[in-house]
Amino acid sequence: MSESPYERGTTHFGFRDVPATEKQKLVGQVFTSVARKYDLMNDLMSLGIHRAWKRYFTATCQVKPGDRVLDLAGGTGDIAALLKPRVGANGHIVLGDINAGMLSVGRDRLTDRGLVSGLEYVQCNAEKLPFPDDSFDLVTMAFGLRNVTDKDAALREIARVLRVGGQARVLEFSEVRAEWFKPIYDFHSFKVLPKLGSLFAGDPASYQYLAESIRKHPPQEELKAMMEEAGLSRCSYVNMSGGIVAVHTGYKI
C-alpha cells in the first residue's frame, strides 16, 4: 500500500509541493474563487465537451428508481440534475461538497430549475464521510478526486458507504493517449487556459492550478489499481476524447 500524503508530510498543489495539512485550504480558496464561474471554467478547460462527458457518465450509471445516491464534489448540481429523473420521485440524492460556496451555487441552480424534493446538501470531506456504512446504491464523483489530498482515503470511504452490489463511478481528467495530441493539449492547458481565466474570470492563478492538477492526477491504470486497493471490485475504465477524461467504475461485492 502506498503512503498517504499525511504519512509523507507533503503533497502536491498543482506542480508545487505543500504541507499535506495545507492543501485542503488552498484548494478551498481556488473553488471559492471560481464557484460562480464554474461552468465557464469547465467550458474553457474542455472546450464545452464536459457537458457530453457528464451526460455519458450519468446515462451509464447503475441506478434505478428509488435508489439512494451520493454525488461527491457535487456542488454545481450538474450530476444530480442528470440523475434525478433516473432515481424518480422515491429516490434520494445527497450532494456532498467540501466547499460551501460550490454547494450554495449548486443548491441555487437546482432550486431555480424546480428540483427540490429528494435532494439533500451536505458539506463534507470525501476523506471522512459523515454517513454510516452501506448507505448508498451509487456514489459518483465528477472532476473532484484530483483535488482531494488523500485520494486513497476518499476511495476507501466511497467503498465503505456503498451498499453491497452498489456502484462507484469517478469521472476525471486523465492521461491523453495520442502522442501527437499531447503538445497541443499542453499548449491549451498551460498557455491558453490561464489567459482565458484572466480574461473571463479575472483569476489566472486558479486556472493555472486546475491545469496543473490534471497532470498530477493518477493516470488510468494507476487509478484503477487504487480503486481495487480501496476495496472495490470489477474495476474498469472507459477513455473518452482520447483519454482527456476517463470514466472509472467499481463495485462493492
Side-chain angles (χ1 to χ4, degrees):
M1 182 179 293
S2 60
E3 287 184 308
S4 74
Y6 296 106
E7 290 170 325
R8 292 194 300 269
T10 62
T11 189
H12 58 82
F13 176 73
F15 289 162
R16 286 194 291 136
D17 286 334
V18 298
T21 53
E22 291 186 12
K23 180 173 179 177
Q24 181 177 313
K25 179 182 73 175
L26 293 169
V27 171
Q29 291 170 350
V30 168
F31 281 90
T32 297
S33 173
V34 305
R36 296 287 164 183
K37 300 280 188 177
Y38 191 76
D39 281 343
L40 172 63
M41 179 194 78
N42 279 332
D43 284 333
L44 294 177
M45 293 180 73
S46 71
L47 303 180
I49 306 172
H50 72 98
R51 301 171 193 275
W53 295 334
K54 290 172 181 174
R55 286 196 295 270
Y56 174 85
F57 178 66
T58 53
T60 56
C61 281
Q62 173 184 284
V63 67
K64 63 185 185 300
D67 275 355
R68 184 171 169 83
V69 176
L70 171 62
D71 180 33
L72 290 171
T76 61
D78 291 353
I79 302 302
L82 290 166
L83 287 174
K84 188 68 178 72
R86 300 194 62 197
V87 302
N90 296 322
H92 191 81
I93 299 176
V94 177
L95 281 79
D97 202 298
I98 198 170
N99 187 278
M102 293 292 292
L103 208 56
S104 176
V105 168
R107 181 169 52 241
D108 290 347
R109 287 178 177 173
L110 292 177
T111 301
D112 288 346
R113 294 173 64 174
L115 298 174
V116 178
S117 64
L119 294 169
E120 181 182 352
Y121 303 86
V122 177
Q123 187 174 359
C124 60
N125 186 341
E127 299 171 20
K128 197 171 184 179
L129 295 173
F131 308 109
D133 297 356
D134 309 314
S135 296
F136 298 97
D137 301 289
L138 170 69
V139 179
T140 59
M141 195 172 196
F143 303 120
L145 185 61
R146 74 181 189 280
N147 299 304
V148 174
T149 304
D150 192 340
K151 297 175 181 62
D152 294 308
L155 292 170
R156 288 194 298 270
E157 282 291 274
I158 289 172
R160 180 183 67 78
V161 302
L162 270 177
R163 293 171 178 161
V164 173
Q167 184 185 59
R169 306 256 10 240
V170 175
L171 171 63
E172 191 53 89
F173 287 102
S174 202
E175 185 176 69
V176 172
R177 293 313 205 189
E179 290 296 329
W180 66 266
F181 185 64
K182 289 181 179 180
I184 300 170
Y185 187 50
D186 285 343
F187 181 80
H188 171 72
S189 299
F190 298 114
K191 300 298 183 184
V192 177
L193 184 59
K195 286 183 171 58
L196 291 174
S198 178
L199 180 63
F200 290 103
D203 187 4
S206 291
Y207 286 75
Q208 180 75 27
Y209 157 73
L210 291 164
E212 292 176 358
S213 71
I214 293 170
R215 298 308 190 277
K216 298 295 288 186
H217 186 66
Q220 290 90 325
E221 285 294 330
E222 185 178 344
L223 181 53
K224 177 186 174 185
M226 290 168 65
M227 292 177 69
E228 291 169 342
E229 194 169 291
L232 295 165
S233 301
R234 293 165 50 202
C235 296
S236 62
Y237 63 85
V238 174
N239 286 321
M240 301 184 70
S241 301
I244 292 177
V245 300
V247 176
H248 283 261
T249 304
Y251 298 86
K252 185 169 182 177
I253 304 300

